[in-house]
Structures are given as C-alpha cells and as structure tokens.
Amino acid sequence: MSSSPLSKKRCVPGPDPETSTDCSSSYSVMFNVPLGPSNVSVFPLETNKLDPSWLGMQKKGSETDIDEGLYSRQLYVLGHEAMRHLQTSSVLVSGLRGLGVEIAKNIILGGVKAVTLHDPGTAQWADLSSQFYLREEDIGKNRAEVSQPRLAELNSYVPVTTYTGALVEDFLTGFQVVVLTNASLEDQLQVGEFCHSHGIKLVVADTRGLFGQLFCDFGEEMILSDSSGEQPLSAMVSMVTKDSPGVVTCLDEARHGFESGDFVSFTEVQGMNEQNGTCPIEIKVLGPYTFSICDTSNFSEYIQGGIVRQVKVPKKISFEDAIELVTLAHAINAQALPAVQQDSLDEDLIRKLAYVAAGDLAPINAFIGGLAAQEVMKACSGKFMPIMQWLYFDALECLPEDRQALTEDKCLPCQNRYDGQVAVFGSDLQEKLGKQKYFLVGAGAIGCELLKNFALIGLGCSEGAITVTDMDTIEKSNLNRQFLFRPWDVTKLKSDTAAAAVRQINPHIQVMSHQNHVGPDTEHIYDDSFFQNLDGVANALDNVDTRMYMDRRCVYYRKPLLESGTLGTKGNVQVVIPFLTESYSSSQDPPEKSIPICTLKNFPNAIEHTLQWARDEFEGLFKQPAENVNQYLIDSKFVERTLRLAGTQPLEMLEAVQRSLVLQRPQTWADCVTWAYHHWHIQYSNNIRQLLHNFPPEQLTSSGALFWSGPKRCPHPLIFDVSNPLHLDYVMAAANLFAQTYGLIGSQDRAAVAILLQSVHVPEFTPKSGVKIHVSDQELQNTIASVDDSCLQELKAMLPSPEKLRGFKMYPINFAKDDDSNFHMDFIVAASNLRAENYNIPPADRHKSKLIAGKIIPAIATTTAAIVGLVCLELNKVVQGHQQLESYKNSFINLALPFFSSSEPLAPPHHQYYNQEWTLWDRFEVQGLQPNGEEMTLKQFLDYFKTEHKLEITMLSQGISMLYSFFMPATKLRERLDQPMTEIVSRVSKRKLGSHVQALVLELCCNDESGEDVEVPYVRYSIC
C-alpha cells in the first residue's frame, strides 16, 4: 500500500497557459552555480547508519549522476533534464517553524544541490504543533540547528547546513533560490528587491492560523521548458490538404486531443515530404479529428500515412518584484470600474484573521509548504508554470459552525505542544482529537504524511488510538517521498517503521501497526466490534478495488471516510460523511481503454502496444506454464477441469503442460540458451514472415485501399546478429528466466553465450498456407473454435504421469520491475524494442519502458504533502461534528499548471418507495434472533416484510448466493421456507459462517402492493 494513485477524477481540469508562437525546436537553460555560502554550521550525518552506496555523492553540476533507484517515481514527474537542473541549485530556507521545515523537507527529498537552513530564533512550545523535527526537550534551542541533522537524514545526496546570522547581501549571492518564511514585511521587501536585481529567484511563504499566502518572483526573464508536464500527444494522419492553411485530418480511432496554439511536428508522411522533420508548427483546432497548419498549397501531393506529435516549445515569462507588484495592484484598483473597485476592507475577514493569527496549524503548513516547495522546484528547473505571482488561501470553514462556542479563555496557551492549534480551535477540540480512534489503511507516501499530521494535531494521543495496516516492506524507491523511512529501513515493514518514526514526533501518540490486507479474508480481524469502536477511517491506498471495499465498509458501519490520491502533480481529496454526502463508490471513472487483442498480436503501431505484448510474453513464458505444471502435478482434477474449459483453451493449456514437461524441458544452461535462441526466431522472424505471407505488403482490401495503411504498420522480419547488443540482451534475459523456472543456475557471461550460439542450429522456416490470422477482435469473436475430443484425449495420454515426477516442481516468476538484477526489465525492454523494430516503431529506453510496463504511478513529495494538508483540514471538521454540507470541501489540485479547486461534496441521491425516502446510508434492520431464542426462518422473513413494510420479496440474495426467488422450483422452495436464514446461507454458499459474524447483508428485489417493482435499501440481518 504505497503512494495512493489518483483513482478518480484523474484529469484535473484547468486552463492551459497560452503558448508562445516561437517555432524554435529547443532552448538551453543555463544556471550559474556560484560557490556555496560561507560562515555556516555543518552537522555531520550519522554515517555509521548509512549504506556506503548512499554516500560520497558530492559531485558538482553535470558530473552528478541521477540515482534512478531513489528518484524513479519523481523522475516520471519531472524528467531527467529538470532533475539535472535541481541538482545544480543551492537553496536557502529562512525560518524553521512548521512551514519552513515542511518546505525544507520537500526540497531535500526532491534532490536539490544543497540546502541552507536559516533561523536565529529558538524553539517555543507553540512550534511543536507543526514543527515535526522539534522535540519537547528542544525548547529554548535554536530551531535551525536542532532541525539540521534530522533533515539531513532525508537525502544523503543533499548537504544540509545552518546559518544563524543576518541575511546580508554577500550571503544571499550564494544561492539560486531564496525562500522566506516567518519574515517581516520589511525583510521580505528588502530581500525581494536584492534577489530580483541579482537574478536570484525568490519564494515568500507565510501562514497565520487558517490563512496562508505565497509570493513568487523568478526574475525578469525565466525560460519555461514545459508548462503542464503532460506527456506530448500524438495521432495518426489520414489526410493533409494542399491549401492555405492546410488542413490535417487524423484517423477517427480517437480524438487527437490537441488545442489551438499547440505546436506539432510530422514524421512518416508519404508524398508531402515537406512536412517531415520541419520545425514545430503552430496549429488551430478545427474539430476533434482536424486542425489547420501552415500554407501547404505549394507542397507535394499527400499520398498516405504520417504521425503528428505535440512539441513542447520553451517560452519566456517575467515577474515583478514585490514593491512593483504592490504599486501595480493599487494602480489597477484605482483605475477599476466602480462596481469592482475595492474602496473598503472586508472587516469580517480581517476580524477572523486577527482571531486565528496566533495559531500555527500543521495542515495549513503542509498545504502551503507543499505548494511552496513545488515553486522552488519550478524556479530551479524551468519545469511547470509558476504561480503568477500571489496565492491566497484560507480554510475558515474549519472554525466551529457555532462560533459562540469558541471563547477566548478556551484558546489561551497552556505551555504544551498543542498551543499553536488551541489558539485557533480551542481546548475542547484538542480534547476530542486525543480521544479519537482512527483506522489508517496504508503506510506509504500519503500514509506517512497522515501519520505525521495525526501526531502533530494530537489525534489519538490520549484515550484514543490509531491503527495502521500495510502489508508492504520498504524499498529504496520509497525513500524519495515516504519521509518517515531512512536508507537503513529498507526491507523493514512499512507499518512498524512508520509507527516507530511517528512516536519520535509525538511520544504521546497511541499507534498500533498491522501487516494485514483489508478485504473479505480479514473480516475476522477487522470485524463488527473493530469498526463499531472507530470514529473514522483514512485511506492511503494505491488501488481502486481496495478503496471501494473500504468505502463499502464505512457505509455499512456508518463511519466517516477521508479519501485521497495523487498522480504526479495532480491530487484529489474526497470526504465521505454518513447521511450527509455520497460515498466514494457513488461515482466511478470510465474503465481504462484496453488495447485490442489483434492489435497486440499482429498489428501494433505504438510502443505501448509492444510493451504490453512483452508483458504478456513474460507471463505466458515464465509464470503461467510453471503454475499450470505445478497444478497438474499436485491436483488430480486439474486435467478434468481443463477439459471443461471453452473453445481452444483445453488444447492450449495441455499443449503448454506437454511443452514444459517434455518437449522443451531443459537439463542444462546450454538448453536454456538454445530455447531462448529458437524463441527469438519464432517471434521476430518466423511469425512475421507468416504474417506477410498471409498479407503481402502490396495487398489491397475489398475497397481497394492498401491493407497495410492507417493504423496497420507493415512489419519486416529480423535477422539474428550476435554482435547486436539488443539481440544478445534478449537471449541472455530469456535464457536466465527460463532457467529460473526450472531451478537451474543461469549465467551472465555474454561472451560465453555468444560463442555457444554459433553452434546452435535453427531449422529453416517456410510460411504455411491455410493459417488463419484474425484482422479484428470482432472477427476473432465471430470465429467459433472447437477441438476434436479425440485429439484432447490423445494429448492427455501423452502427458507424463505425476507419479513419475515426484519431487519435481517448477518455479513461477512474478514480475518485479524495480530489481535491476533479476532480468525482468531486461527481458521486457529487449522483447518490446525488438518487436518495435519489426514494425518500425521508435523504441523506448529502460526508464520509459519501466513506467509503461510496470504501470508505475508517478509521484512527488510536494503533491503528497499538499493533499494530506487538505485531508487533515477536513479531519478537523469531522471531529468537530460539522453538520452543514457546505462546510466540507472536496478538492482537486494540479501543482504543475497550477490549478486549485474545491467544491461541496454531493449529497447522496434520494430514492423512495411508498412515502418512505431513503439513501445509500439507510437500511432495513431485522433482528434474526426471535424472543423465544430461535432464529427467523425464510418464511418468517418473507412474511415480516409483507406485514411490516407492505413489500413482497421476489428475490433475496447474500453476496453471490441466491437464497430465494419467485421462480424457484416448488420442491426447493418448500425445503427452504422452514429453514433458518443462516442455515440457508451456509448451504447455498457452501461455507460456514465465521464466529465473528454478527450480521448478514441481504439484498432484496421487491414489489409493492400494486405489483410494481420498487427499489429498496439492503437488509442488515442481525444474528446475535
């Protein structure tokens, strides 16, 4: 359960910044890197705890390599070029209270060149409400010096130093970016003016209670390489007109997705060769499949084909300094129309600011700190659109709905770690927070941030408790954003490690760590009594199925659910409140578009197709055959079950078992190499030659069009070349994986394998006539395939008896993308790029291949911090018991654009039968145990609904088990009517009810008294 993906509302809407009309194909952004600041304090790392491979990374500038194992998920957000710019940027963070430490944490995890912490102040009790690297014993010590060693542990590639002197000009010149927090307006203006005039980028961030603000000044000329971070779009061309302007029509398989002002380039256009390889061309969108380009009237005639790709064109943006911006704001206000001119102040807003300004809240600091750190990364890298230039945020809806309940005496400081929070919400909420019992599902990126915030706000820190569960262990790639973990924690359990780390932040937190999956198989652990004792649930999950399961549990037990997810710079928050809002499952994303089978098998046209094909190859060669063989050897009914499968599946599975046990079973490493060599020829030569035999390059369709046109790319067979690294990569990876499935020892000696291949004979292949190759999935579905039973029986007889193979077993391989020594990604990259070469598709490097084949969710610490800040603002409302729908906020952000949106949650849809209204939160409560101690029978259950609710049940089910239906045979109905309900459930499901089960969920189909079908809630049938 690692970093949560954005499971719903994945595409966050927002305005695309206007693109420059400059057609230059590339810009180079240069950053001068002066020597680091002098007069600083340096605290040594605890190097005895670190793996030696993590140390010594102190190279400068372009000499620095990027540790892809550590930064892999962030690299999929920023890219290598932006990451290299980060590694040449030194950053000053001034002010080490809660906001400053949040910003410093995020940019250190992000991997800048160096960070200097500046703060002349000492730790106070109020700081502990949001400064997670201060302890109670640190009160009175310098904030920067205490925080430095703890921040330095986050990333051994980033030197972290301290400075406690004045921010003099000579000192500031040593940085590419300066961040000011907790600074006076005078200091902001003075430092801002100096930075602006000296080309130093400035971020000013501040929070006051429930208020936050950001100001950015990145100079008079900043080059922006990519404003959105989205992958460039591409489409296939079907027509280009000779006109002024020329009109391009794309294949109608999918909308092109371009916008007016985008820049594109063309390749593989036949006929109109002038289009290929030109500078990027600005387009104007005419429709979902058409757009106009430049004047093509003098170009050659278009014949066919072509691919159009979006090009990210760099643009220049400029910023005003703070003084100029304030002056400009006054001038604009003075010239505004009377209707919009601000001639008076919002006194209520100012009054609220005054009330809460003394507060220091962890969630607000997490949100503003996440945003500010992302702005620092933009300043360093030129990647993503900066905030232009002010951002204001407040969360005043977090205050009590009854404002009279919050009095001054309840907000006075008590010299404890929660003073910063009590100053805003009062002592009553603090007491409630301490008594809360919460279930946190997941201890990955979002889980770590949630635990940090829980500890800071005091959730479960007195009579309450937090239960966190996560099955996963810590991997190196987690360390870039799951900030509670350190290099020496790799391979440890996430939940245990996170719980131990968060106790360091607040020793009063009561947290219990589990390693359980949440699902039907653990309902004996997370049972009725467990959920009934909870005050709420927070999800920190990475898949939709588990999210929906937890959502169903929260609806059933009527518990609040805090749901969130991230996808790169995008994030969302959804709050689910019993009887007030809809649930997470009330709305769902459309299913992801799958690749047609025939496209994968024979007609790929994109690298995504060849990578999916390679993943299918991996499963079909190194996992499924081994699993089937093991089942055949230990399960006497395996063959019997296989023969009952539909279509050609019995033949395919039995042939695969025969191949694995007889025809292709290796005895030596040399046999594995031979198998890999033969398989290379089958896939990249023989099958392609057969395909071209069926559909020659010049073949026409029934309409007279070329068969190999549009999305169908005409392939060509490959000739094996032992000196071609990619060819040998495939053989090495395939042979080693094949050997692993049989428990044989492999080899990494490429030279020896190359020599061995010289003696391997490959039979000559001749394409066969009569081989059927399906052109479309529809054609495939319409083909009714059957296998002669005598053929299956003959094949069954040829299989070796399991008794003769006692002690033998195979070893299925589960794909693992992050271990570069296991040959998994070696095979995927080689298999995909060889197939891409077959079809003249541009290949993908290992980094991109891992993203697509491994279905990696891009992630970055800044988004996670900001999203969790918003989650915990909602948590404050939940604990206070807000009852107004408009008090709660579902949020959607995209830090790249930047875009921020919040909206009221939707109320649950209302349904009605007779005059009874109900929502998803309602149900029928039926007590199954009668006063006489006997359980209700089916007949009594049916009669109960007819008598009490005037409903005639026509169908009754529990899970996938049908307990009753009006069309049930009379004999079966008579048998069941007098049986207790739980006995029927056990018989039909063929499973005994667990001792932990206190109630059953029953689904009904009903008719009203007029015989009309009516929709009704489910039944909670209590059995104890």
Side-chain angles (χ1 to χ4, degrees):
M1 300 174 188
S2 57
S3 180
S4 305
L6 194 65
S7 64
K8 299 201 300 179
K9 294 92 178 177
R10 199 168 277 198
C11 295
V12 180
D16 245 1
E18 187 179 344
T19 311
S20 165
T21 56
D22 192 335
C23 285
S24 302
S25 58
S26 64
Y27 279 92
S28 176
V29 185
M30 299 300 294
F31 294 85
N32 294 320
V33 187
L35 294 174
S38 56
N39 190 26
V40 296
S41 303
V42 182
F43 288 74
L45 290 171
E46 295 183 65
T47 54
N48 59 309
K49 291 184 180 180
L50 291 172
D51 186 308
S53 65
W54 286 75
L55 301 176
M57 193 67 171
Q58 306 299 331
K59 298 179 183 178
K60 292 184 179 179
S62 60
E63 297 175 12
T64 303
D65 295 325
I66 298 172
D67 186 343
E68 293 191 359
L70 174 65
Y71 295 116
S72 65
R73 304 314 188 256
Q74 179 175 295
L75 279 167
Y76 292 121
V77 181
L78 297 179
H80 285 75
E81 189 63 27
M83 192 69 210
R84 278 189 279 271
H85 287 313
L86 278 184
Q87 292 184 333
T88 61
S89 300
S90 295
V91 181
L92 170 68
V93 178
S94 177
L96 262 293
R97 299 189 70 196
L99 179 58
V101 78
E102 182 67 48
I103 297 169
K105 176 205 75 176
N106 292 327
I107 61 177
I108 291 168
L109 289 171
V112 296
K113 179 184 178 185
V115 172
T116 298
L117 311 174
H118 169 256
D119 194 329
T122 57
Q124 309 296 319
W125 277 109
D127 294 332
L128 270 63
S129 63
S130 67
Q131 219 285 23
F132 45 87
Y133 283 147
L134 293 180
R135 311 286 184 256
E136 293 183 10
E137 60 268 24
D138 297 327
I139 301 300
K141 299 177 184 177
N142 179 267
R143 283 187 290 251
E145 292 176 351
V146 169
S147 303
Q148 188 275 338
R150 293 159 187 166
L151 283 165
E153 286 182 348
L154 292 171
N155 192 339
S156 63
Y157 294 130
V158 181
V160 181
T161 57
T162 64
Y163 175 78
T164 57
L167 294 179
V168 295
E169 294 181 354
D170 287 348
F171 173 72
L172 293 173
T173 56
F175 301 97
Q176 282 69 56
V177 183
V178 170
V179 182
L180 296 181
T181 71
N182 199 35
S184 66
L185 179 60
E186 181 183 358
D187 286 346
Q188 291 175 17
L189 294 174
Q190 184 178 345
V191 172
E193 186 175 8
F194 175 81
C195 288
H196 188 84
S197 62
H198 287 76
I200 301 169
K201 296 173 175 64
L202 175 72
V203 175
V204 179
D206 210 354
T207 60
R208 292 286 187 273
L210 289 165
F211 293 79
Q213 67 171 1
L214 267 179
F215 171 75
C216 299
D217 175 9
F218 297 164
E220 296 179 0
E221 187 176 285
M222 176 185 176
I223 296 175
L224 188 65
S225 62
D226 180 358
S227 63
S228 70
E230 299 294 334
Q231 287 296 314
L233 301 169
S234 65
M236 291 188 175
V237 177
S238 63
M239 182 63 194
V240 184
T241 64
K242 290 182 63 174
D243 210 341
S244 180
V247 175
V248 179
T249 303
C250 299
L251 290 177
D252 59 5
E253 285 194 326
R255 296 166 180 257
H256 55 61
F258 299 132
E259 296 183 4
S260 294
D262 283 350
F263 286 79
V264 300
S265 64
F266 292 84
T267 57
E268 301 183 32
V269 175
Q270 296 180 33
M272 195 177 281
N273 295 321
E274 296 91 340
Q275 288 289 81
N276 294 323
T278 60
C279 287
I281 303 167
E282 188 173 1
I283 67 169
K284 179 180 179 181
V285 171
L286 304 177
Y289 307 102
T290 57
F291 57 86
S292 63
I293 52 173
C294 55
D295 183 354
T296 59
S297 55
N298 293 322
F299 286 7
S300 309
E301 289 289 340
Y302 173 82
I303 298 177
Q304 69 167 11
I307 296 175
V308 57
R309 291 186 174 87
Q310 184 184 28
V311 177
K312 300 290 183 83
V313 175
K315 60 184 289 187
K316 295 178 181 178
I317 55 176
S318 60
F319 295 75
E320 304 286 351
D321 68 20
I323 296 174
E324 291 172 343
L325 204 62
V326 171
T327 303
L328 182 61
H330 282 298
I332 291 173
N333 186 53
Q335 296 171 14
L337 295 172
V340 296
Q341 197 173 67
Q342 300 296 308
D343 56 0
S344 63
L345 298 175
D346 186 336
E347 293 183 5
D348 183 55
L349 185 66
I350 294 174
R351 188 178 300 111
K352 289 173 183 174
L353 173 60
Y355 287 155
V356 304
D360 189 24
L361 300 178
I364 293 288
N365 287 332
F367 178 67
I368 297 295
L371 271 57
Q374 190 65 62
E375 294 306 302
V376 171
M377 292 186 181
K378 294 175 185 179
C380 297
S381 66
K383 183 76 175 272
F384 307 141
M385 177 61 71
I387 289 172
M388 303 292 291
Q389 294 185 241
W390 283 97
L391 179 139
Y392 163 86
F393 176 81
D394 72 52
L396 293 173
E397 73 280 356
C398 291
L399 291 170
E401 289 178 331
D402 178 12
R403 301 294 163 85
Q404 305 303 316
L406 193 62
T407 59
E408 184 177 350
D409 62 304
K410 292 181 179 179
C411 299
L412 296 175
C414 300
Q415 297 302 297
N416 69 36
R417 64 181 307 118
Y418 306 118
D419 279 355
Q421 185 164 264
V422 169
V424 177
F425 294 115
S427 54
D428 289 350
L429 175 60
Q430 197 58 54
E431 187 177 344
K432 286 182 182 178
L433 285 166
K435 294 178 179 178
Q436 293 291 297
K437 295 181 175 68
Y438 256 75
F439 187 26
L440 173 58
V441 189
I446 285 181
C448 283
E449 290 287 340
L450 282 169
L451 281 172
K452 175 199 76 177
N453 280 271
F454 290 172
L456 291 170
I457 68 176
L459 190 78
C461 289
S462 59
E463 298 170 32
I466 296 165
T467 302
V468 57
T469 187
D470 196 311
M471 300 166 60
D472 289 351
T473 56
I474 300 164
E475 301 174 357
K476 183 180 178 181
S477 63
N478 300 148
L479 304 178
N480 173 238
R481 62 202 182 283
Q482 299 176 21
F483 87 105
L484 294 180
F485 308 141
R486 300 292 177 267
W488 50 86
D489 294 324
V490 170
T491 73
K492 294 179 183 177
L493 291 164
K494 284 187 176 181
S495 58
D496 288 349
T497 308
V502 85
R503 290 188 194 105
Q504 296 293 312
I505 295 175
N506 185 347
H508 306 292
I509 191 168
Q510 305 296 315
V511 57
M512 295 171 288
S513 55
H514 296 177
Q515 293 80 45
N516 302 315
H517 169 71
V518 288
D521 54 328
T522 54
E523 286 181 3
H524 63 288
I525 300 171
Y526 307 118
D527 56 10
D528 289 2
S529 60
F530 175 83
F531 271 94
Q532 285 161 2
N533 286 327
L534 291 177
D535 293 295
V537 175
N539 275 351
L541 291 160
D542 61 359
N543 67 89
V544 174
D545 290 341
T546 312
R547 279 184 165 99
M548 294 184 73
Y549 171 80
M550 286 307 302
D551 178 64
R552 291 194 298 272
R553 299 294 274 175
C554 288
V555 169
Y556 177 73
Y557 291 107
R558 295 167 171 171
K559 299 297 179 183
L561 172 65
L562 299 169
E563 171 58 55
S564 59
T566 67
L567 180 69
T569 59
K570 302 171 187 173
N572 76 298
V573 176
Q574 182 178 0
V575 59
V576 178
I577 306 296
F579 300 102
L580 193 63
T581 73
E582 68 174 8
S583 74
Y584 173 82
S585 304
S586 297
S587 62
Q588 297 180 32
D589 288 331
E592 291 186 14
K593 190 174 180 181
S594 59
I595 304 170
I597 295 173
C598 290
T599 298
L600 285 176
K601 290 185 71 172
N602 297 306
F603 307 111
N605 57 60
I607 198 66
E608 289 80 5
H609 300 161
T610 65
L611 281 163
Q612 184 58 56
W613 178 88
R615 279 288 281 113
D616 293 345
E617 272 278 282
F618 187 98
E619 299 292 313
L621 293 174
F622 311 122
K623 184 181 180 184
Q624 292 166 0
E627 290 177 341
N628 290 337
V629 163
N630 290 344
Q631 283 293 307
Y632 171 73
L633 295 176
I634 64 174
D635 184 355
S636 59
K637 302 215 173 151
F638 171 79
V639 174
E640 181 184 327
R641 280 200 317 274
T642 300
L643 293 174
R644 290 201 298 265
L645 295 174
T648 59
Q649 289 182 82
L651 179 65
E652 292 168 357
M653 286 189 70
L654 293 182
E655 283 182 341
V657 171
Q658 186 193 29
R659 279 197 301 272
S660 297
L661 288 177
V662 181
L663 304 179
Q664 295 179 353
R665 180 179 173 182
Q667 301 298 324
T668 66
W669 164 244
D671 292 341
C672 297
V673 172
T674 300
W675 172 85
Y677 188 53
H678 284 163
H679 197 73
W680 187 100
H681 282 85
I682 290 169
Q683 296 292 33
Y684 305 110
S685 179
N686 301 355
N687 288 350
I688 301 299
R689 290 166 66 188
Q690 181 67 57
L691 182 62
L692 291 172
H693 175 77
N694 283 41
F695 307 107
E698 304 303 323
Q699 178 161 323
L700 303 178
T701 65
S702 57
S703 63
L706 277 171
F707 177 85
W708 294 105
S709 62
K712 291 186 176 68
R713 301 173 72 91
C714 186
H716 65 276
L718 304 183
I719 299 172
F720 189 87
D721 180 359
V722 74
S723 64
N724 187 319
L726 186 61
H727 294 196
L728 195 55
D729 285 348
Y730 180 91
V731 173
M732 291 295 298
N736 272 283
L737 292 169
F738 193 62
Q740 287 176 36
T741 63
Y742 286 92
L744 298 174
I745 297 174
S747 170
Q748 297 192 37
D749 190 338
R750 294 172 68 92
V753 169
I755 294 170
L756 181 59
L757 290 176
Q758 294 176 8
S759 61
V760 178
H761 171 69
V762 177
E764 182 62 33
F765 175 78
T766 303
K768 300 178 180 65
S769 298
V771 175
K772 178 65 177 175
I773 296 178
H774 300 290
V775 175
S776 68
D777 282 13
Q778 187 64 49
E779 182 183 308
L780 179 63
Q781 291 169 6
N782 293 338
T783 303
I784 301 174
S786 61
V787 181
D788 182 39
D789 188 60
S790 62
C791 176
L792 289 175
Q793 293 302 323
E794 182 180 338
L795 183 58
K796 175 184 172 183
M798 294 170 63
L799 294 176
S801 168
E803 286 74 23
K804 295 181 179 178
L805 293 166
R806 288 190 184 280
F808 174 78
K809 70 172 184 177
M810 292 186 68
Y811 302 88
I813 301 175
N814 292 309
F815 178 67
K817 58 186 175 292
D818 285 322
D819 182 353
D820 286 336
S821 65
N822 62 11
F823 291 103
H824 297 197
M825 278 308 303
D826 296 309
F827 176 83
I828 296 296
V829 173
S832 171
N833 284 341
L834 284 166
R835 188 160 176 83
E837 187 179 346
N838 277 138
Y839 287 86
N840 296 306
I841 297 169
D845 61 18
R846 189 184 188 91
H847 184 67
K848 183 177 181 180
S849 298
K850 186 183 288 189
L851 171 70
I852 298 170
K855 298 182 179 177
I856 289 174
I857 305 297
I860 192 166
T862 49
T863 311
T864 307
I867 281 296
V868 170
L870 295 175
V871 170
C872 291
L873 289 175
E874 299 308 305
L875 173 62
N876 277 315
K877 304 171 191 176
V878 173
V879 175
Q880 290 178 80
H882 282 17
Q883 293 299 314
Q884 298 174 20
L885 191 64
E886 59 267 24
S887 294
Y888 294 97
K889 295 288 182 284
N890 288 345
S891 298
F892 307 89
I893 69 173
N894 186 338
L895 300 186
L897 294 179
F899 173 78
F900 310 94
S901 171
S902 63
S903 59
E904 292 176 17
L906 293 176
H910 283 252
H911 309 278
Q912 185 173 335
Y913 67 94
Y914 295 128
N915 293 321
Q916 184 69 42
E917 281 199 350
W918 62 277
T919 72
L920 63 93
W921 297 101
D922 295 301
R923 62 192 177 212
F924 294 112
E925 295 281 358
V926 177
Q927 181 60 50
L929 212 58
Q930 303 296 291
N932 61 6
E934 294 184 0
E935 191 195 341
M936 186 181 282
T937 65
L938 175 58
K939 183 178 186 307
Q940 290 171 326
F941 184 86
L942 299 175
D943 291 343
Y944 169 82
F945 272 86
K946 191 171 288 187
T947 303
E948 295 294 323
H949 301 289
K950 299 178 183 179
L951 294 170
E952 180 186 1
I953 297 176
T954 56
M955 283 192 285
L956 174 65
S957 62
Q958 193 267 331
I960 61 171
S961 301
M962 181 65 70
L963 309 182
Y964 164 79
S965 66
F966 69 92
F967 50 79
M968 186 175 284
T971 54
K972 185 180 287 188
L973 177 58
R974 281 195 299 272
E975 179 187 339
R976 289 190 183 177
L977 280 175
D978 295 326
Q979 291 177 351
M981 294 289 288
T982 54
E983 186 177 326
I984 297 172
V985 169
S986 296
R987 286 190 177 185
V988 176
S989 66
K990 298 179 180 177
R991 288 192 306 178
K992 288 187 67 175
L993 294 178
S995 58
H996 64 282
V997 177
Q998 298 179 19
L1000 298 174
V1001 174
L1002 304 175
E1003 301 284 348
L1004 307 175
C1005 290
C1006 294
N1007 289 341
D1008 61 17
E1009 289 183 310
S1010 64
E1012 291 294 320
D1013 180 46
V1014 290
E1015 192 175 0
V1016 296
Y1018 70 92
V1019 177
R1020 183 177 185 269
Y1021 179 82
S1022 300
I1023 57 178
C1024 62

